[in-house]
Amino acid sequence: MGHEQRVRDFYDYAGPAYEAIMDDIWHHGDPAAEARGLSPQQAARALAERLVGLAGLRPGDRALDFGSGVGGGTLHMAAFTGATFVGLTNNEWLSQRARRLAEERGMADRVQFLTVGDEDYTTLAAWPDMSFDAITFYESVCHLPRKERFFRSTHRLLKPGGALVGIDWLQRPFGAHQTPEEIAHFTDPVNETFCLAALGTLHAYEAMLEDAGYVVTLAEDLFPGIPCWGNTPSEDRPKWLGYDGPGGEQIQAGKQALDAARGAGVFTVGAFAAVRPAPAP
């Protein structure tokens, strides 16, 4: 079984668990918004608003959201910007939940949710060149073994001047944990339990974006110099450690592994914005 298929199978049980505990938006939020006392969901919306603002999305523009989950984040971006969106995942359960949410919110005419093949991210061949004004990703690229091919395919899909924006899980040296072996002691269990294709670094992502032809305008560690405890309310910890739905043991193990990596400081989240440059006149 290939890694991408394992990711699809992972979300058969992780999707219902995440929805039960985190509702319809699953990614980290803006640390400044959390510091102001906003809830994780509110902070996540604030970060998405910041990023699609950097992308310059306007009413009537067309965007692609890679890794759209159960759709809450995609629908919020569409509502905030007035743009139309296509949300992608390789798990049909997620897509079905997202389509239902779009119907409930009266947005099915502006937001589509599609299930694609496990390796379609390497080409995104279903769309012709320059199909989108912006492309977004929220903690989804970390699942991909061939991240560089994803970035190249998104570059092809963007119109000149269009932007790729998103956030992703990363690893970094921190405190006493500086060597690859010291970092891997904490990140290997995270990769295993969350079905990740190895956590990358901020600089590695920036290099891949540049190699794909982008001009990188933002490559930022959202938690510089401090452990990344964002989006992890202490009152939710019992929900994770006591989750007894399908795949419960894996969900519990993932929470323990991620908290250990957070506590060691070697786990963080990076924010990115990159523009496909317009051709020279």
Side-chain angles (χ1 to χ4, degrees):
M1 180 188 300
H3 175 82
E4 291 91 346
Q5 184 176 338
R6 289 196 294 272
V7 173
R8 174 159 46 85
D9 294 344
F10 170 77
Y11 278 101
D12 283 340
Y13 63 84
Y18 292 177
E19 188 179 47
I21 297 172
M22 295 188 289
D23 200 12
D24 58 32
I25 299 179
W26 299 346
H27 62 79
H28 284 71
D30 186 303
E34 288 194 346
R36 295 196 303 271
L38 272 65
S39 71
Q41 288 272 310
Q42 291 169 327
R45 294 187 188 101
L47 181 56
E49 291 169 11
R50 173 190 166 198
L51 290 174
V52 294
L54 291 176
L57 270 178
R58 298 168 297 181
D61 283 351
R62 189 167 184 240
L64 181 75
D65 184 28
F66 180 79
S68 47
V70 291
T74 317
L75 292 167
H76 178 69
M77 289 189 292
F80 176 73
T81 62
T84 63
F85 268 81
V86 177
L88 296 187
T89 177
N90 73 339
N91 181 286
E92 179 60 16
W93 185 89
L94 297 178
S95 296
Q96 288 178 0
R97 300 293 287 183
R99 292 179 200 122
R100 183 183 306 175
L101 190 62
E103 291 282 355
E104 291 172 356
R105 296 187 182 177
M107 297 180 67
D109 60 332
R110 288 204 298 114
V111 186
Q112 293 179 296
F113 292 98
L114 305 178
T115 302
V116 295
D118 291 337
E119 298 186 9
D120 286 351
Y121 72 90
T122 63
T123 63
L124 297 174
W127 292 275
D129 293 358
M130 297 182 287
S131 291
F132 295 99
D133 299 284
I135 297 175
T136 63
F137 64 94
Y138 293 87
E139 303 178 13
S140 54
V141 175
C142 51
H143 285 297
L144 307 180
R146 291 169 284 181
K147 298 174 178 63
E148 73 287 346
R149 293 189 64 178
F150 169 73
F151 289 133
R152 287 200 296 268
S153 64
T154 59
H155 184 274
R156 179 184 67 79
L157 291 191
L158 281 170
K159 299 174 184 177
L164 172 72
V165 298
I167 63 173
D168 213 11
W169 290 15
L170 302 174
Q171 66 177 22
R172 63 184 180 185
F174 192 93
H177 314 294
Q178 295 291 316
T179 70
E181 294 78 16
E182 289 166 342
I183 295 168
H185 173 75
F186 295 97
T187 58
D188 282 354
V190 175
N191 293 332
E192 178 64 27
T193 53
F194 286 92
C195 205
L196 307 182
L199 291 175
T201 67
L202 189 77
H203 294 305
Y205 272 58
E206 188 172 11
M208 285 188 286
L209 288 165
E210 290 174 345
D211 287 346
Y214 284 105
V215 174
V216 178
T217 58
L218 175 71
E220 173 187 299
D221 186 336
L222 291 177
F223 300 87
I226 60 172
C228 167
W229 288 105
N231 205 34
T232 57
S234 57
E235 61 269 22
D236 282 357
R237 184 173 173 81
K239 299 178 185 177
W240 292 103
L241 296 181
Y243 183 77
D244 60 359
E249 290 185 4
Q250 187 85 350
I251 297 298
Q252 294 170 27
K255 174 61 173 173
Q256 292 169 336
L258 185 56
D259 279 359
R262 290 184 192 274
V266 299
F267 170 86
T268 193
V269 176
F272 301 93
V275 177
R276 176 178 178 175

